Amino acid sequence: MNRKQMEAARSAMSAWLACPGELGKAPARIECAGTFELHGMRYYIFKYKKGLLGKWLWGVCGGYEGEGLEHCGHVFSEMEEYNPAGAEERAVEMVEWIRAYWMDQAGQAQEMEK
């Protein structure tokens, strides 16, 4: 695992969670729970806690090419409880949903330009 890339992903996930529409603050704890490859890019699964005594929740960050430190914008969490069983499969589904959403948005933007 590329340590610098994982740290960049952890930082991006924390920043996303700190947004007012999400947790509104950085998570109390955040740990990398795994990685996977999809569509030629690397993704990181993170488990995090809103507060020190809270349950572990999970999210995904990525779309990293090679050893790059910039993700392609696939950062998301539905703030569901983390369960290691099937975590990668759920993360892949989430990334596919994010990709479909942004592809649809791009298609709509192209239609409006015509």
Side-chain angles (χ1 to χ4, degrees):
M1 178 186 324
N2 178 327
R3 187 85 178 146
K4 286 184 180 181
Q5 190 177 74
M6 189 276 297
E7 288 298 329
R10 187 173 72 79
S11 179
M13 185 88 242
S14 292
W16 185 88
L17 288 166
C19 291
E22 306 309 332
L23 286 181
K25 63 178 185 169
R29 291 190 61 194
I30 185 166
E31 298 176 7
C32 183
T35 65
F36 62 95
E37 303 284 328
L38 185 66
H39 303 293
M41 293 186 281
R42 182 175 300 116
Y43 289 86
Y44 294 85
I45 302 169
F46 290 97
K47 62 181 186 176
Y48 62 91
K49 290 185 174 191
K50 292 181 186 181
L52 291 175
L53 302 177
K55 294 179 180 179
W56 284 108
L57 307 175
W58 71 279
V60 66
C61 179
Y64 290 91
E65 293 185 58
E67 301 300 311
L69 299 179
E70 293 293 324
H71 61 80
C72 74
H74 298 161
V75 184
F76 195 72
S77 173
E78 291 186 339
M79 301 193 190
E80 295 174 337
E81 190 171 346
Y82 174 73
N83 179 350
E88 184 175 325
E89 291 80 11
R90 290 190 321 278
V92 167
E93 289 172 6
M94 185 180 290
V95 169
E96 294 291 18
W97 177 83
I98 295 167
R99 286 184 81 236
Y101 171 82
W102 286 113
M103 290 170 90
D104 182 58
Q105 293 297 304
Q108 287 180 27
Q110 285 179 342
E111 286 298 316
M112 291 178 70
E113 290 177 2
K114 290 182 180 179

